[in-house]
């Protein structure tokens, strides 16, 4: 009887999941660190958090950022994102930073780096051609190389990209191929500049699962994600195949 109950519960879980895609540290659609041209359904809203391994955060170009006493540290971010239209996604993210407060002997996560993300999809995927998307993170108030790298924001996560995504479905499986070019005007993110991309795989017998391998321009990451009960999205990944990063969010459709 117990075995039957376990199997029944497992069947309910598997029946309540649907395919999904997310670059979950910003809440927008994508892979792990690499963007994609996939888009969330119109009306999709997410609120969640992500554990950022120190190898997942930008390097520093000054006394602040994600380094304390010369060493990078792990941190966490939180975000809210929404897809108001089929062709647009917007996100707002804040990432915790350490500093030493008066009267304390150890640093505290008492600072926040805040930024907006935007993604547009001018071309949907067709039978013989890929989907195309353009977008960026930390796009408002961030510096550029043409203004002596100065701006109203720190620009730690500042990057702009164009990406193409094409899916193939051999024998009922789903394989996604993503190729992008990223431009990073600020030094902290520049190690991830250039041609980046990745491959995703969802088996025909478990379309709710998605395995990911990506090249960020600096390292290779592997991971997997899924959406449970249509509202709880989970992603787990290994930076350089060794260092854990991942998070979860609550997802719903506002329409």
């Amino acid at each position: 009887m117990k075995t039957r109950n376990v199997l029944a519960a497992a069947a309910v879980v598997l029946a309540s999941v649907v395919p999904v895609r997310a670059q979950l540290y910003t809440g927008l659609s994508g892979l792990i660190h690499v963007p994609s041209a996939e888009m969330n359904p119109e009306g999709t809203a997410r609120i969640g958090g992500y554990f950022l391994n120190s190898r997942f955060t930008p390097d520093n170009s000054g006394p602040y950022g994600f380094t304390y006493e010369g060493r990078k540290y792990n941190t966490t971010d939180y975000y809210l994102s929404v897809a108001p239209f089929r062709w647009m996604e917007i996100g707002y993210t804040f990432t915790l930073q350490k500093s030493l407060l008066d009267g304390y002997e150890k640093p505290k996560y008492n600072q926040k780096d805040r930024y907006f993300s935007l993604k547009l999809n001018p071309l949907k995927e067709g039978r013989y051609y890929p989907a195309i998307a353009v977008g960026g993170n930390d796009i408002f108030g961030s510096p550029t190389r043409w203004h002596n790298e100065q701006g109203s924001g720190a620009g730690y996560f500042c990057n702009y990209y164009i990406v193409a995504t094409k899916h193939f479905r051999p024998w009922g499986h789903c394989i996604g191929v993503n190729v992008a070019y990223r431009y990073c005007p600020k030094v902290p993110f520049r190690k991830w500049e250039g041609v980046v991309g990745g491959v995703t795989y969802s088996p025909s017998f478990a379309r709710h699962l998605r395995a990911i391998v990506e090249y960020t321009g600096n390292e290779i990451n592997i991971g997997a994600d899924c959406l449970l009960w249509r509202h709880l999205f989970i992603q787990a990944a290994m930076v350089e195949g060794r260092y854990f990063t991942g998070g979860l969010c609550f997802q719903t459709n506002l329409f």
Side-chain angles (χ1 to χ4, degrees):
M1 181 63 67
K2 290 184 178 180
T3 301
R4 183 178 300 175
N5 291 339
V6 170
L7 292 176
V12 170
V13 170
L14 292 178
S16 61
V17 294
V18 295
V20 73
R21 72 287 294 180
Q23 191 180 25
L24 205 56
Y25 82 99
T26 64
L28 273 62
S29 56
L31 306 186
I32 303 167
H33 194 280
V34 170
S36 77
E38 296 175 313
M39 301 292 289
N40 287 322
E42 182 177 0
T44 299
R46 288 173 172 158
I47 182 170
Y50 208 81
F51 169 74
L52 302 173
N53 188 281
S54 61
R55 291 164 177 81
F56 202 83
T57 57
D59 292 333
N60 288 356
S61 60
Y64 305 106
F66 301 93
T67 298
Y68 184 79
E69 294 185 341
R71 299 183 61 183
K72 292 187 69 178
Y73 53 82
N74 301 328
T75 187
T76 303
D77 77 9
Y78 303 92
Y79 56 82
L80 173 65
S81 67
V82 64
F85 309 105
R86 182 211 60 77
W87 46 269
M88 175 187 289
E89 296 180 22
I90 304 171
Y92 181 70
T93 306
F94 65 88
T95 309
L96 299 181
Q97 295 175 291
K98 280 185 179 181
S99 68
L100 186 62
L101 296 175
D102 293 339
Y104 289 85
E105 296 182 356
K106 295 182 178 181
K108 302 292 183 180
Y109 288 97
N110 66 308
Q111 302 293 324
K112 302 179 185 70
D113 177 74
R114 298 180 284 267
Y115 63 90
F116 283 94
S117 300
L118 175 67
K119 183 178 177 182
L120 305 174
N121 176 219
L123 181 65
K124 292 180 63 176
E125 181 176 349
R127 182 176 181 181
Y128 300 109
Y129 54 86
I132 301 293
V134 294
N137 300 325
D138 210 345
I139 57 175
F140 299 118
S142 293
T144 68
R145 293 180 186 174
W146 295 283
H147 293 85
N148 298 318
E149 298 189 355
Q150 299 299 314
S152 60
Y156 298 119
F157 292 89
C158 182
N159 72 96
Y160 305 91
Y161 59 81
I162 180 170
V163 56
T165 297
K166 188 74 178 75
H167 292 90
F168 304 92
R169 294 175 172 81
W171 303 289
H173 305 285
C174 183
I175 300 173
V177 179
N178 307 268
V179 179
Y181 180 82
R182 274 198 293 217
Y183 163 70
C184 308
K186 190 70 172 176
V187 170
F189 211 87
R190 202 167 293 169
K191 66 180 180 180
W192 294 306
E193 185 174 67
V195 177
V196 302
V199 177
T200 63
Y201 170 68
S202 295
S204 60
F205 54 85
R207 297 296 300 275
H208 55 281
L209 297 176
R210 186 179 70 153
I212 307 167
V213 178
E214 65 175 20
Y215 173 64
T216 68
N218 187 70
E219 65 271 316
I220 295 176
N221 301 332
I222 59 174
D225 51 31
C226 67
L227 181 67
L228 301 175
W229 304 292
R230 297 186 180 275
H231 293 294
L232 180 63
F233 189 88
I234 301 173
Q235 184 177 83
M238 302 295 286
V239 180
E240 301 176 16
R242 301 173 57 189
Y243 308 101
F244 172 79
T245 192
L248 55 84
C249 73
F250 174 80
Q251 172 175 307
T252 190
N253 195 290
L254 301 177
F255 300 158

